[in-house]
């Protein structure tokens, strides 16, 4: 399905050279650390080495699979494939291409027009931003695994437990429940450490009165989930309640505002304006959200710095994750992942958002 969409989007006479691991996964639905996916308007071929050939022939979709040659024979093999597809202009992933490979292609593909512009990157970004129902189900599968893992881990959080142990437990449970990996290094930071948006779990032992922020996700069939919740341990102060309430109000408003046609900048402003009005504007420094799919950070980005013409469309999957971070005290972040629809958004997340005291 994704390869066919790329074929339709290709300029006349162009052949796409897809080399990045993540984009090969997106198009073939097969994960491999090596290979070339060549896509022309008349066909598609995935060329990979002996480590993957047997599995790729069974699992890769919408393309022919061929064992790669070695040395100069590889470039003869690539030539033949390009010519079979009627290729005259070769499109490369400029943002992911190494200098070394660029030089190799310039030396070996002199008979073709080589396009190292952002043309292919832009085509792929446009395709990847709009998720299909099949992709929705994979994202939902990742979210379900993550939520069950968190629900199993929460009873273990209590005074004396270290941040790193909570992160390790959560990772273990996601894997045990069927995740092929974690979306990113799990964040489980408590007390003063929770004021660091991307803090690293360490040896800090949780204390009564701490906030603990957990930002994590699972990978399922190549697709990521991304969720954040902040919990209180033992007791909660009035200052903590106020900050949490402000973030919750901003997050709920941000979720409610999502719909096709809303600009990425306006989506960001909904959350940011509420936090500013409560007096916490300087303590919310990151973007309100980002796209999620076969990578944990994709387009579109819900940010005040997003392009003015970045408009949400049905099928876009984004996070809404406002936060308040008070250095030396604590931090709060609440995050859901949602798919945009014509009149709103479908929320992947079913976890409660009201302040929970563990």
């Amino acid at each position: 399905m994704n390869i066919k969409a790329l074929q339709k989007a290709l300029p006349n006479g162009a052949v796409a050279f897809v080399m990045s691991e993540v984009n090969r996964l997106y198009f073939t639905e097969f994960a491999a650390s090596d290979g070339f996916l060549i896509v022309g308007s008349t066909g598609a071929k995935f060329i990979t080495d002996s480590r993957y050939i047997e599995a790729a022939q069974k699992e890769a979709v919408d393309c022919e699979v061929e064992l790669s040659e070695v040395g100069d024979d590889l470039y003869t093999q690539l030539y033949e494939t390009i010519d079979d597809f009627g290729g005259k202009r070769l499109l490369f992933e400029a943002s992911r291409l190494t200098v070394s490979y660029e030089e190799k292609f310039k030396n070996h593909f002199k008979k073709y027009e080589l396009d190292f512009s952002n043309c292919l990157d832009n085509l792929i970004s446009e395709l990847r931003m709009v998720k299909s129902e099949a992709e929705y189900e994979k994202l939902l599968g990742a979210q379900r695994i993550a939520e069950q893992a968190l629900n199993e881990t929460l009873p273990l959080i209590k005074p004396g437990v270290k941040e790193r142990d909570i992160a390790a437990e959560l990772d273990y449970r996601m894997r045990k429940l069927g995740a092929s990996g974690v979306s990113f290094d799990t964040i489980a930071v408590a007390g003063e450490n929770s004021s660091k948006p991307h803090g690293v779990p360490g040896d800090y032992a949780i204390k009564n009165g701490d906030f603990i922020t957990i930002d994590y996700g699972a990978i399922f069939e190549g697709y990521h989930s991304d969720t954040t919740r902040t919990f209180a341990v033992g007791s909660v102060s009035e200052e903590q309640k106020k900050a949490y309430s402000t973030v919750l109000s901003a997050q709920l408003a941000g979720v409610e505002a999502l719909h096709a046609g809303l600009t990425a900048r306006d989506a960001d402003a909904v959350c940011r304006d509420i936090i500013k009005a409560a007096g916490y504007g300087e303590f919310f420094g990151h973007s309100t959200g980002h796209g999620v799919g076969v990578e944990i950070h994709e387009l579109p980005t819900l940010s005040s710095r997003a392009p003015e013409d970045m408009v949400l469309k049905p099928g876009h999957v984004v996070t809404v994750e406002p936060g308040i971070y008070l250095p030396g005290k604590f931090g709060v972040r609440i995050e859901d992942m949602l798919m945009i629809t014509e009149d709103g958004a479908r929320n992947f997340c079913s976890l409660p958002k009201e302040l929970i005291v563990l």
Side-chain angles (χ1 to χ4, degrees):
M1 181 70 73
N2 294 333
I3 285 178
K4 292 177 181 177
L6 178 58
Q7 288 174 319
K8 291 180 181 178
L10 285 173
N12 210 14
V15 168
F17 243 71
V18 181
M19 295 175 57
S20 66
E21 186 172 347
V22 67
N23 282 331
R24 290 197 314 267
L25 170 63
Y26 173 74
F27 287 113
T28 67
E29 299 183 19
F30 178 76
S33 64
D34 176 80
F36 299 89
L37 173 64
I38 305 173
V39 181
S41 59
T42 60
K45 182 179 288 187
F46 177 44
I47 298 173
T48 191
D49 66 32
S50 60
R51 294 172 297 169
Y52 300 107
I53 188 67
E54 182 179 1
Q57 287 173 338
K58 294 179 180 178
E59 299 173 27
V61 301
D62 295 331
C63 61
E64 181 184 352
V65 177
E66 191 171 279
L67 179 65
S68 62
E69 301 291 344
V70 296
D72 288 341
D73 289 341
L74 170 61
Y75 291 95
T76 300
Q77 183 181 23
L78 296 175
Y79 270 128
E80 292 173 352
T81 301
I82 295 164
D83 289 342
D84 285 346
F85 295 160
K88 298 178 181 178
R89 175 184 169 201
L90 305 187
L91 307 181
F92 298 91
E93 301 163 278
S95 65
R96 301 174 187 268
L97 189 66
T98 65
V99 172
S100 174
Y101 259 121
E102 182 175 339
E103 289 304 311
K104 288 180 182 178
F105 293 141
K106 286 178 178 178
N107 290 332
H108 285 89
F109 292 154
K110 293 178 180 179
K111 70 182 249 186
Y112 304 109
E113 176 189 350
L114 306 186
D115 189 335
F116 297 112
S117 72
N118 291 323
C119 178
L120 183 57
D121 289 312
N122 292 339
L123 287 177
I124 293 175
S125 289
E126 287 295 322
L127 294 175
R128 280 179 48 181
M129 274 196 287
V130 179
K131 271 66 175 181
S132 65
E133 281 299 311
E135 290 176 287
Y136 172 84
E137 290 299 325
K138 292 176 182 179
L139 289 160
L140 184 60
Q143 181 67 30
R144 285 172 174 162
I145 288 171
E147 291 190 7
Q148 185 174 341
L150 180 63
N151 286 332
E152 292 178 2
T153 302
L154 285 180
L156 306 177
I157 300 175
K158 56 187 177 181
V161 176
K162 294 180 179 179
E163 295 168 329
R164 67 167 71 251
D165 292 333
I166 294 168
E169 187 71 30
L170 195 50
D171 291 354
Y172 163 72
R173 290 179 183 274
M174 285 191 284
R175 292 267 192 179
K176 191 174 181 181
L177 289 165
S180 60
V182 296
S183 296
F184 49 89
D185 290 342
T186 295
I187 298 169
V189 285
E192 293 182 9
N193 293 332
S194 63
S195 70
K196 304 166 187 173
H198 276 191
V200 177
D203 286 326
Y204 177 78
I206 296 170
K207 298 176 182 177
N208 183 64
D210 280 349
F211 265 166
I212 177 168
T213 294
I214 299 176
D215 186 352
Y216 74 114
I219 302 174
F220 177 70
E221 295 186 2
Y223 284 75
H224 299 66
S225 69
D226 192 2
T227 305
T228 307
R229 289 294 185 267
T230 299
F231 304 95
V233 178
S235 62
V236 59
S237 70
E238 290 303 312
E239 185 179 25
Q240 287 173 316
K241 288 180 182 178
K242 180 183 177 183
Y244 192 97
S245 177
T246 301
V247 172
L248 179 58
S249 295
Q251 206 272 344
L252 291 172
V255 168
E256 182 66 25
L258 291 181
H259 66 274
L262 181 70
T263 69
R265 287 191 179 189
D266 286 344
D268 176 84
V270 170
C271 295
R272 197 166 302 281
D273 288 350
I274 290 172
I275 290 176
K276 283 182 179 179
Y280 294 107
E282 66 181 295
F283 303 110
F284 175 29
H286 58 74
S287 300
T288 288
H290 57 86
V292 185
V294 289
E295 288 183 290
I296 190 58
H297 289 104
E298 300 187 351
L299 293 176
T301 301
L302 308 186
S303 168
S304 60
R305 297 178 295 277
E308 291 183 6
D309 61 353
M310 178 62 75
V311 176
L312 298 181
K313 299 177 182 179
H316 285 180
V317 171
V318 296
T319 65
V320 176
E321 50 179 302
I324 292 173
Y325 311 95
L326 304 178
K329 293 184 177 181
F330 60 82
V332 180
R333 183 165 65 255
I334 303 170
E335 175 187 21
D336 290 347
M337 184 174 74
L338 306 100
M339 177 180 271
I340 305 299
T341 64
E342 287 288 354
D343 56 357
R346 286 190 281 178
N347 199 331
F348 291 91
C349 191
S350 64
L351 295 170
K353 299 182 193 179
E354 69 273 9
L355 180 55
I356 295 175
V357 180
L358 300 173

